[in-house]
């Protein structure tokens, strides 16, 4: 586990990341197409993605771009990406295990810098943004993507968890790219979103918290995590007579394009 001063490595999540954070079948292609269209990414574009992970966006997005560089702390996550590459034969993805503070690229060599749920995991996000500005060409842009979700019939479980853990829980799931970029003087060029829906059962939601699969749970004290799970289990017993019934989940994947200062 990383210390609070280190960027968060997702080695421990490599085997299940796509099952918990990946897009449903076919939505990844739509999300990548939206990102390419919104940003203006073409086959002539040189792209870098920081925190490339298992490639949930890199693999479909590289079908729209030229050379696509991916950087991540976790070699295990990138191994999963490599295992999926045969299903996306048209992408030219070059992977590097490394730190986003020292990108292995020449200054002014990249057209677009992609970031999805990553800046809030970096101790000095402003320094990371300055490094992105260094590698971008004049007129280059940062392309931020983030997910919003709503679970209208499962909010009772979320409330039970929050009532116990609220003073301890880090907001690691909230993407901070827009506010970080804007604070550094980057200007919003365009924003768009893709809506889709899935389902989740109350049992599945609690199992995710029992298994501590989200990075926001990794740093919680064990006793706080256990108390939060117990509160959710109590709410489950009281409010969900059929805990395995599918419940609706509403999603929006947002894309925002920022011009460097």
């Amino acid at each position: 586990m990383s210390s609070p001063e280190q960027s968060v490595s997702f080695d421990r999540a490599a085997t299940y990341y796509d099952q918990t954070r990946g897009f449903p079948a076919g939505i990844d292609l739509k999300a990548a197409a939206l990102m390419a269209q919104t940003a203006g990414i073409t086959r002539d574009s040189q792209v870098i993605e920081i925190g490339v992970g298992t490639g949930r966006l890199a693999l479909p997005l590289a079908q729209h771009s030229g050379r696509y560089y991916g950087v991540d702390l976790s070699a295990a996550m990138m191994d999963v990406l490599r295992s999926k590459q045969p299903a996306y034969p048209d992408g030219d993805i070059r992977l590097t295990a490394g730190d986003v503070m020292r990108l292995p690229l020449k200054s002014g060599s990249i057209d677009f810098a992609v970031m999805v749920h990553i800046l809030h995991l970096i101790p000095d996000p402003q320094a990371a943004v300055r490094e992105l500005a260094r590698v971008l060409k004049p007129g280059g842009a940062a392309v931020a993507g983030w997910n919003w979700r709503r679970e209208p019939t499962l909010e009772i479980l979320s409330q039970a968890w929050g009532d116990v853990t609220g003073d301890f829980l880090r907001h690691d799931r909230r993407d901070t790219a827009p506010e970080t970029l804007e604070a550094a003087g980057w200007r919003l060029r365009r924003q768009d979103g893709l809506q889709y829906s899935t389902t989740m059962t109350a049992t599945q939601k609690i199992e995710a918290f029992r298994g501590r699969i989200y990075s926001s749970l990794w740093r919680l004290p064990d006793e706080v995590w256990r108390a939060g799970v117990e509160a959710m289990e109590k709410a489950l017993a009281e409010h969900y007579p059929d805990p395995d019934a599918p419940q609706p989940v509403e999603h929006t994947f947002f894309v925002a394009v920022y011009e460097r200062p």
Side-chain angles (χ1 to χ4, degrees), residues 6-18:
Q6 295 174 317
S7 298
V8 178
S9 171
F10 275 65
D11 279 348
R12 65 186 290 177
T15 58
Y16 61 75
Y17 184 89
D18 284 349

Side-chain angles (χ1 to χ4, degrees), residues 8-9 18 45 47 65 146 160 194 216 219 232-233 253 260:
V8 178
S9 171
D18 284 349
S45 303
V47 179
S65 74
W146 67 94
L194 171 68
S216 56
R219 293 171 174 169
M232 294 180 78
E233 290 170 340
F253 178 69
R260 58 176 293 182

Side-chain angles (χ1 to χ4, degrees), residues 5-249:
E5 293 75 28
Q6 295 174 317
S7 298
V8 178
S9 171
F10 275 65
D11 279 348
R12 65 186 290 177
T15 58
Y16 61 75
Y17 184 89
D18 284 349
Q19 284 69 49
T20 58
R21 278 94 150 184
F23 291 106
I27 297 298
D28 62 334
L29 301 177
K30 292 181 179 180
L34 175 70
M35 185 169 275
Q37 180 180 9
T38 304
I41 294 172
T42 71
R43 279 298 192 181
D44 293 324
S45 303
Q46 302 290 297
V47 179
I48 185 168
E49 181 178 349
I50 59 172
V52 68
T54 62
R56 73 178 187 128
L57 265 169
L59 288 164
L61 186 54
Q63 312 300 298
H64 298 269
S65 74
R67 187 167 295 175
Y68 196 105
Y69 298 94
V71 178
D72 202 290
L73 285 176
S74 173
M77 292 280 278
M78 290 189 292
D79 282 343
V80 176
L81 187 160
R82 292 185 182 95
S83 73
K84 297 187 294 183
Q85 279 186 297
Y88 299 86
D90 295 331
D92 180 10
I93 299 179
R94 311 294 178 92
L95 298 176
T96 300
D99 194 324
V100 302
M101 302 296 187
R102 295 177 295 276
L103 297 175
L105 293 170
K106 295 180 180 179
S107 297
S109 61
I110 295 295
D111 297 293
F112 297 97
V114 173
M115 59 191 78
V116 181
H117 294 296
I118 183 64
L119 289 185
H120 60 296
L121 301 175
I122 299 172
D124 190 348
Q126 288 290 351
V129 167
R130 288 193 295 272
E131 177 67 350
L132 291 178
R134 179 188 70 79
V135 302
L136 282 176
K137 298 176 182 178
V143 188
W146 67 94
N147 293 86
W148 173 91
R149 60 188 286 166
R150 179 171 176 264
E151 304 166 357
T153 58
L154 295 174
E155 290 178 356
I156 293 172
L157 297 178
S158 299
Q159 185 62 49
W161 169 266
D163 287 345
V164 172
T165 65
D167 290 338
F168 296 89
L169 186 61
R170 287 167 49 85
H171 299 288
D172 282 345
R173 281 190 259 171
R174 182 176 64 85
D175 193 277
T176 59
E179 62 195 64
T180 301
L181 290 164
E182 289 167 13
W186 296 60
R187 185 174 67 85
L188 179 64
R189 177 191 298 170
R190 187 178 179 190
Q191 180 171 318
D192 208 339
L194 171 68
Q195 295 180 338
Y196 61 98
S197 61
T198 61
T199 61
M200 173 185 285
T201 70
T203 298
Q204 288 172 327
K205 184 173 179 69
I206 290 184
E207 285 300 321
F209 282 76
R210 286 188 185 125
R212 299 181 86 158
I213 65 173
Y214 301 119
S215 62
S216 56
L217 310 181
W218 298 347
R219 293 171 174 169
L220 276 180
D222 289 347
E223 64 273 15
V224 176
W225 161 68
R226 292 192 190 97
V229 171
E230 289 172 2
M232 294 180 78
E233 290 170 340
K234 181 179 179 181
L236 178 73
E238 292 176 354
H239 298 284
Y240 297 89
D242 184 1
D244 295 320
Q247 306 291 339
V249 182

